[in-house]
Amino acid sequence: MGTEQRTEIVLPGVVSPDGLRLRTSPIPVPGAGQVVIRMEATGVSFAEQQMRRGRYYDQPPFPFVPGYDLVGIVEAVGPGADSTVLGRRVAALTKVGGWASHVVVDAADVMPVPDGLDPAEAETVVVNGITAWQMLHRKARVKAGRTILVHGANGGVGSTLVQLARLAGIRVIGTASPRNHDRLRDLGVIPIDYRTDVPAAVREIASGGVDAVFDHLGVPSVLDSWRLLAPGGTLVAYGSAATLDDTGSKQLPVLKILGRVWAWNALPNGRHAYFYNIWAGRGLAKQRFRTRLRHDLTQVLQAMAEGHITAQIAARFSLADAADALRLAESKTVTGKVILTP
């Protein structure tokens, strides 16, 4: 691969976005069963915003290269890896390491991206699309004709989730700030201002409650969400965004939600609660985990390729401008995902 260098963005510790560091090093050589992906697009997800504050509940020790997922071209294949992926566009879920021009991953973890999809558009639905698909179809299992509530319907996960739900014939109520309401209406969503009395507004639209709620805000929001469920309904909690700037234990917000989930599921009322974690099951059955990821991302990318899902790109920045990208993502003024390109 010559003398070309790899560029990486390093998170050195709990710093402001300006504290991110740029590092160059030789492009790595893939080991056995590995591939090197030349990154075409990666993104700023909520996880990186938490990691910057040291608040992501299982982040690695500082310093490290953040970057939860990426899309790119397989540029080198290690011994024992499938050589047919060489030169192909793929997606990978990395948790960390994606903010780099070249990324080493296990060949078994790459997932094909359909021809003709813009890599930045595909990137918007890797972690977000898998999360949305699995919460809607594997956890809540919402059927056509039912009604759901999506908190943060303009965000990365939310904007993908509402489109998948509408595609499945589900009625969607979504919370967002008023400046995003027209966009949500365009997607077929009934918008609610998140700063108003959300439970009262939801009950005006769905007097008998909703069939599922998707809540990334944490306690106390999940308490309201649970009370809004119709008989047989499902609450899927998947984060604690409201605690982002808190100090103290980064595990505690998640443990508080888990405690509620366990207690609610013990009640004989036919309703269900889950705390969704995209990595659940990876340790026990890695092959099954990978098969499920591949299937679910394929469904989402196919829906995008067919025009049923529109990529929600908030802005595009070069990797060297990661600080500006992170600042914009954290400003809460944008719809969709902030994308980084080489």
Side-chain angles (χ1 to χ4, degrees), residues 12 22 25 34 37 41 50 76 85-86 100 113-114 120 135 150 176 180 188 213 235 238 260 265 285 313 327 332-333:
L22 191 93
S25 60
Q34 295 181 324
I37 301 172
Q50 289 181 300
V85 298
L86 197 60
V113 173
M135 291 196 303
V150 178
N180 294 306
V213 183
L235 165 66
Y238 65 105
R260 294 285 180 179
N265 285 334
I313 296 179
R327 242 192 313 273
K332 298 185 171 65
T333 61

Side-chain angles (χ1 to χ4, degrees), residues 30-35 77-82 105-109:
Q34 295 181 324
V35 299
V77 174
D82 176 10
V105 300
D106 287 345
D109 288 329

Side-chain angles (χ1 to χ4, degrees), residues 103-152:
V103 181
V104 179
V105 300
D106 287 345
D109 288 329
V110 304
M111 298 172 275
V113 173
D115 293 336
L117 273 186
D118 171 75
E121 295 191 351
E123 158 60 23
T124 64
V125 295
V126 183
V127 64
N128 291 342
I130 293 167
T131 298
W133 177 273
Q134 293 188 345
M135 291 196 303
L136 185 68
H137 294 301
R138 292 190 182 273
K139 291 296 185 191
R141 301 177 184 227
V142 185
K143 302 282 192 293
R146 299 295 174 90
T147 301
I148 65 173
L149 170 64
V150 178
H151 284 285

Side-chain angles (χ1 to χ4, degrees), residues 135 148-159 161-162 172-176 184 192-194 196 198-199 202 210 212-218 220-226 228 235-236 238:
M135 291 196 303
I148 65 173
L149 170 64
V150 178
H151 284 285
N154 63 302
V157 173
S159 60
L161 178 56
V162 301
V172 181
I173 304 166
T175 70
L184 291 180
I192 289 176
D193 184 346
Y194 78 96
T196 59
V198 171
V202 171
V210 293
V213 183
F214 301 89
D215 191 322
H216 66 301
L217 298 170
S221 180
V222 292
L223 302 177
D224 286 335
S225 293
W226 175 256
L228 284 170
L235 165 66
V236 185
Y238 65 105

Side-chain angles (χ1 to χ4, degrees), residues 25 32 37 53 74-75 79 81 186 213 217-218 223 227 287-288 334:
S25 60
I37 301 172
R53 296 164 167 86
V74 177
E75 203 166 72
D186 289 344
V213 183
L217 298 170
L223 302 177
R227 295 184 193 112
Q287 194 48 51
R288 184 164 164 257
V334 293

